[in-house]
Amino acid sequence: MAKSKQKAEMTRLGFYGLAPFFIAAAALWLSPAIIPSHIALDFHLLALAYGAVIVAYLSGAGAGATLNPGQKLQESFVPGQLIALVAFAAILPDGVFMMSLGAAWRHVIILILLFYLLMRDLAATNAGIFPKWYGALRLRLTFWAGLAIVLIMSRLLLWGYH
């Protein structure tokens, strides 16, 4: 009963967590007809920052799973830390170390990190570290988050924010 409740709660929270991505995508695509462009661009920045927070959260969840002494996967903490740092660098508008990326490309970084974390979590699910339903949930959530990010990126590219 408790696992079923945990699954239902994580599913509900996961899908609620997609809202910022889709709100940002809607704001961008409704601009400038309904929403002023400068406000829509603020939504893209919020989605970018939110994506970095989600990446850091998922990275930490995987790091927490490696603390289990009976785990079947031997993964270092280093990849998770690097992923969180790359996500942080992606949200910096002026870039780091004199390397600056355009708005759409910073979303690409978040998308790549989400995909990498999905692959890591699916491997952990197959190894029995995470329950089977978690892998299926992560797959669905990453698909929908990725779709929203692609919508955001496509609008930014159409506006010339490479």
Side-chain angles (χ1 to χ4, degrees):
M1 178 69 181
K3 290 187 188 244
S4 175
K5 186 176 180 179
Q6 181 187 33
K7 176 184 174 185
E9 183 179 16
M10 285 188 76
T11 301
R12 186 176 58 253
L13 289 174
F15 280 104
Y16 288 159
L18 294 172
F21 292 122
F22 280 100
I23 290 169
L28 285 164
W29 281 97
L30 292 173
S31 177
I34 297 174
I35 298 173
S37 298
H38 67 281
I39 293 175
L41 288 171
D42 285 344
F43 277 100
H44 120 74
L45 292 174
L46 290 172
L48 186 63
Y50 180 72
V53 168
I54 294 300
V55 164
Y57 172 80
L58 292 172
S59 180
T66 63
L67 293 173
N68 182 1
Q71 74 164 351
K72 298 174 183 105
L73 290 178
Q74 299 296 324
E75 184 176 313
S76 168
F77 287 113
V78 175
Q81 291 173 333
L82 290 176
I83 288 168
L85 287 173
V86 170
F88 176 70
I91 65 173
L92 297 174
D94 295 328
V96 291
F97 304 118
M98 299 185 335
M99 294 180 358
S100 180
L101 292 174
W105 292 107
R106 296 183 327 185
H107 285 282
V108 169
I109 291 171
I110 297 299
L111 192 57
I112 290 169
L113 294 175
L114 285 172
F115 182 74
Y116 172 81
L117 290 170
L118 171 66
M119 294 298 103
R120 184 207 59 193
D121 288 352
L122 290 177
T125 299
N126 289 335
I129 295 171
F130 293 129
K132 292 290 183 199
W133 59 263
Y134 181 74
L137 176 63
R138 283 280 289 117
L139 186 61
R140 288 193 316 263
L141 292 174
T142 302
F143 170 79
W144 289 110
L147 178 65
I149 292 170
V150 166
L151 288 170
I152 291 167
M153 289 175 0
S154 62
R155 187 59 168 164
L156 290 171
L157 288 171
L158 283 173
W159 280 351
Y161 289 95
H162 304 269

